[in-house]
Amino acid sequence: MSADFFLKKGVSRFGYFTPMPDLIWSQEREKGFRARLCEEGVPEDAIFSLYARLNRGGIEFNRSFRKMLKNLPKPISVLAASDQDGQKLIECCSSQYIKVPEEVSVLGIDNDDLLCVSSTPPLSSISIDAEGAGFRAAGILDRMMNDPYDPELKPGIIPLEPIMIHERQSTNMDHFSDPMVVEIFDYLRANTNSAINVSDVVRAIRKSRRVVETRFKAATGETVHDAILRLKLDAVKRFLTDTSMPLQQVAEESGFSDDSYLGQIFRKKFGMTMDSYRRRYRKEYRG
């Protein structure tokens, strides 16, 4: 999820930041991040491991780390092992006069609202289904207690599945070399709550439809229509998890004509109804 998110912003250099590189969960996160980037053709030398030190006082950014951060090729997009790590990395960038997100964009994991919003700039983050993993673990424990000799019960790792990315200012920057593509994304984000289509984009950019479609697809790998739908559905998911507004209002605020049409698209894309998504991921239900 994080790799695809960065790739859609036109970034060509990436990093993974952690002060705990020896912990298995952190290693697995970096491994998955690297693997997905390599699947999309990103060369290994464009992916950087950014390891700080951890001591009793917290994360230590020594001189060598600050120098490395300063000398990194930019712009670069960095996935932090957690929101706390992301917040500290942003602070380190600020101390070195490195602009976030213009030079270094930072994405955390956990979506801890207090940490994310209190960061300067506010930290984008991935929410994870910790509760779902807990339920799965409880189910396994129940089976073990009822039948400890069940041959199907084997040691393993229960993954924390990502839910969605909550974008804030720390990643709110596109790095496409084509200024027309950047202009298109600016227009799309400014009009996410409107019923726009490709024709509206073409009129706003004042280029031919063929030029718009061809250059956009070449830069992003997706069509303008797909980008419109993706940004709108991202807004829908935020409304479902962060508000209690009725589904008809969710549709209207996301630029869809009605909630029935949106419901069909949503179910086809995510394999569940909007009500099911809200029940599963809405914050108050997650504790």
Side-chain angles (χ1 to χ4, degrees), residues 259-269 274:
D259 61 308
S260 177
Y261 172 63
L262 169 58
Q264 294 174 24
I265 295 174
F266 194 92
R267 185 163 190 167
K268 183 177 181 180
K269 181 72 174 178
M274 290 189 288

Side-chain angles (χ1 to χ4, degrees), residues 51-68:
Y51 299 157
R53 295 174 58 186
L54 189 66
N55 57 33
R56 292 183 179 180
I59 300 174
E60 177 186 346
F61 294 108
N62 57 26
R63 181 178 297 178
S64 62
F65 182 89
R66 294 195 301 270
K67 183 178 180 180
M68 176 188 66

Side-chain angles (χ1 to χ4, degrees), residues 46-277:
I47 310 171
F48 299 84
S49 294
L50 310 177
Y51 299 157
R53 295 174 58 186
L54 189 66
N55 57 33
R56 292 183 179 180
I59 300 174
E60 177 186 346
F61 294 108
N62 57 26
R63 181 178 297 178
S64 62
F65 182 89
R66 294 195 301 270
K67 183 178 180 180
M68 176 188 66
L69 190 63
K70 193 94 171 173
N71 292 335
L72 276 176
K74 301 177 182 65
I76 184 171
S77 291
V78 178
L79 175 65
S82 69
D83 287 339
Q84 185 175 17
D85 297 341
Q87 185 186 52
K88 293 299 183 183
L89 179 61
I90 289 175
E91 291 174 0
C92 184
C93 286
S94 178
S95 72
Q96 300 303 302
Y97 304 100
I98 298 170
K99 296 179 181 178
V100 176
E102 291 86 351
E103 296 178 277
V104 177
S105 55
V106 183
L107 177 65
I109 300 175
D110 291 334
N111 195 42
D112 184 315
D113 283 338
L114 182 59
L115 279 176
C116 292
V117 176
S118 63
S119 177
T120 305
L123 175 67
S124 298
S125 184
I126 304 172
S127 55
I128 56 176
D129 189 17
E131 286 75 12
F135 278 118
R136 292 193 294 275
I140 294 172
L141 180 60
D142 181 65
R143 288 176 60 190
M144 292 176 64
M145 294 175 67
N146 286 303
D147 185 3
Y149 300 105
D150 186 342
E152 294 185 3
L153 292 175
K154 299 178 181 179
I157 297 174
I158 298 175
L160 293 172
E161 299 294 340
I163 299 174
M164 64 179 291
I165 290 175
H166 302 257
E167 184 164 25
R168 302 180 179 90
Q169 193 178 341
S170 71
T171 59
N172 193 16
M173 175 67 63
D174 295 314
H175 296 284
F176 297 103
S177 57
D178 188 336
M180 189 196 75
V181 175
V182 175
E183 185 180 357
I184 290 173
F185 272 116
D186 288 343
Y187 176 81
L188 295 184
R189 292 195 177 96
N191 293 277
T192 301
N193 62 343
S194 302
I196 59 171
N197 55 36
V198 178
S199 296
D200 296 316
V201 176
V202 170
R203 282 192 292 271
I205 302 303
R206 298 182 180 180
K207 302 285 186 183
S208 72
R209 188 183 185 106
R210 183 177 180 181
V211 167
V212 168
E213 291 276 22
T214 302
R215 285 169 58 178
F216 190 87
K217 181 69 179 289
T220 69
E222 63 180 345
T223 66
V224 177
H225 175 269
D226 289 344
I228 292 172
L229 183 59
R230 174 172 58 82
L231 292 174
K232 286 184 177 298
L233 289 177
D234 284 347
V236 170
K237 290 190 291 183
R238 287 194 297 272
F239 287 133
L240 292 175
T241 58
D242 297 351
T243 77
S244 58
M245 66 173 60
L247 297 184
Q248 178 60 41
Q249 187 178 354
V250 169
E252 293 171 357
E253 293 292 334
S254 307
F256 289 93
S257 56
D258 62 77
D259 61 308
S260 177
Y261 172 63
L262 169 58
Q264 294 174 24
I265 295 174
F266 194 92
R267 185 163 190 167
K268 183 177 181 180
K269 181 72 174 178
F270 302 111
M272 66 178 76
T273 66
M274 290 189 288
D275 275 329
S276 297
Y277 188 92

